[in-house]
């Protein structure tokens, strides 16, 4: 099974490269690169949610990432994008993921009232990086790298800021929610993900904060493998990948 992974705000596909050798061999980790970073650094970053989600759906439909059963994983902003992709695929009658795995993100219906730093506010963006943790200290002492990271984070926050929740019938697939116990996302905001699913869904807690997936990587990957193993047995109700 392919595991298509979407990065958090300010990050690139490289955040998932380690998983290729740490997950079981039957899981093929496919990090999805977003415009403006990594192998797509020459492209302008997309700053609007619907435009970015639509481009990702088009990329999946093109067959660029292969065929066969797959699941979607997203951390923070990546979780919101993964859900947006699944919603669009379902509306189009396209092949659905076997499961949706979302990490460190409030459910789409609970995102109203979120506040993001003003566009171009470098000081506030830097404070956000420090608050969430997970950023190497060396980056803060390198003005060029810090500037590139802040520009990308700024674009990604505009993506999140432009998101608008549109109620829709539950997706016919399980949603597995992962979170750090020291993160500042309230449990009801995490459990609300279950309202987006018409299948049995789960919530798992791990040691750590917003970037618990580094502190508790082994435990998280063990749980991801268990969820995907179960998804292979019980594929989505409406359609499966050819």
């Amino acid at each position: 099974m392919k595991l298509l992974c979407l990065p958090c705000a300010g990050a690139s596909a490289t955040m998932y490269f380690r998983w290729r050798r740490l997950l079981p061999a039957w899981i093929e980790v496919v990090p999805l690169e977003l415009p403006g970073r990594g192998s797509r650094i020459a492209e302008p970053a997309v700053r609007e949610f619907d435009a970015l989600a639509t481009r990702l759906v088009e990329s999946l439909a093109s067959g660029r990432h292969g065929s066969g059963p797959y699941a979607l994983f997203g951390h923070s902003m990546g979780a919101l994008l993964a859900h947006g992709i699944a919603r669009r695929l379902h509306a189009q009658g396209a092949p659905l993921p076997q499961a949706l795995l979302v990490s460190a993100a409030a459910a789409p219906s609970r995102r109203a009232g979120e506040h993001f730093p003003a566009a171009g506010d470098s000081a506030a963006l830097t404070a956000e990086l420090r608050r969430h943790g997970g950023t190497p200290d060396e980056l803060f002492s390198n003005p060029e790298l810090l500037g590139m990271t802040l520009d990308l984070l700024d674009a990604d926050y505009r993506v999140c800021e432009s998101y608008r929740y549109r109620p829709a019938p539950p997706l016919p697939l399980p949603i597995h929610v992962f979170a750090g116990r020291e993160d500042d996302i309230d449990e009801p905001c995490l459990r609300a993900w279950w309202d987006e699913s018409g299948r049995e869904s789960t919530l798992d807690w791990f040691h750590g904060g917003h970037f618990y997936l580094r502190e508790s990587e082994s435990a998280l990957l063990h749980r991801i493998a268990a969820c995907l193993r179960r998804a292979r047995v019980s594929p989505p109700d409406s359609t499966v990948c050819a």
Side-chain angles (χ1 to χ4, degrees):
M1 181 183 292
K2 289 181 173 61
L3 180 61
L4 309 184
C5 300
L6 290 145
C8 60
S12 73
T14 58
M15 67 180 288
Y16 297 114
F17 283 2
R18 280 172 50 86
W19 290 11
R20 288 172 167 166
R21 59 183 175 81
L22 296 176
L23 280 167
W26 59 269
I27 300 174
E28 179 186 354
V29 176
V30 183
L32 299 183
E33 194 69 275
L34 304 182
R37 67 208 79 198
S39 61
R40 303 180 66 181
I41 196 169
E43 302 176 40
V46 179
R47 303 172 70 87
E48 201 274 327
F49 181 87
D50 286 340
L52 182 54
T54 297
R55 288 178 63 172
L56 289 166
V57 169
E58 291 171 350
S59 177
L60 293 183
S62 72
R64 185 180 309 167
H65 307 293
S67 61
Y70 72 102
L72 289 170
F73 178 95
H75 180 74
S76 198
M77 178 187 77
L80 196 62
L81 286 170
H83 178 258
I85 291 170
R87 281 284 178 209
R88 285 161 175 76
L89 291 172
H90 191 222
Q92 296 172 11
L96 291 176
Q98 307 290 88
L100 187 61
L101 287 69
V102 294
S103 168
S109 63
R110 298 299 186 93
R111 299 183 68 88
E114 282 189 309
H115 297 286
F116 298 94
D121 188 340
S122 297
L125 290 167
T126 301
E128 281 287 288
L129 279 180
R130 293 188 182 280
R131 181 174 71 86
H132 285 302
T135 302
D137 290 337
E138 295 78 10
L139 185 140
F140 294 104
S141 60
N142 186 318
E144 183 178 359
L145 285 179
L146 179 60
M148 292 173 61
T149 300
L150 295 182
D151 287 345
L152 193 57
L153 185 63
D154 186 40
D156 288 346
Y157 276 164
R158 306 290 74 84
V159 168
C160 297
E161 194 173 47
S162 67
Y163 176 79
R164 297 294 179 270
Y165 178 65
R166 302 178 182 93
L171 290 164
L173 49 81
I175 298 180
H176 301 292
V177 187
F178 309 111
R181 293 189 182 278
E182 287 76 54
D183 201 354
D184 58 4
I185 304 173
D186 293 336
E187 183 170 344
C189 292
L190 295 166
R191 290 192 180 276
W193 274 107
W194 297 353
D195 298 334
E196 305 298 316
S197 170
R199 298 281 295 273
E200 182 180 354
S201 298
T202 60
L203 169 60
D204 287 282
W205 295 94
F206 299 89
H207 172 70
H210 193 66
F211 284 97
Y212 75 90
L213 74 176
R214 295 175 182 169
E215 299 171 67
S216 302
E217 183 179 62
S218 179
L220 171 63
L221 295 185
H222 178 80
R223 183 61 184 145
I224 286 175
C227 291
L228 296 184
R229 189 175 295 111
R230 184 170 184 178
R232 288 200 303 177
V233 177
S234 304
D237 294 331
S238 61
T239 183
V240 294
C241 292

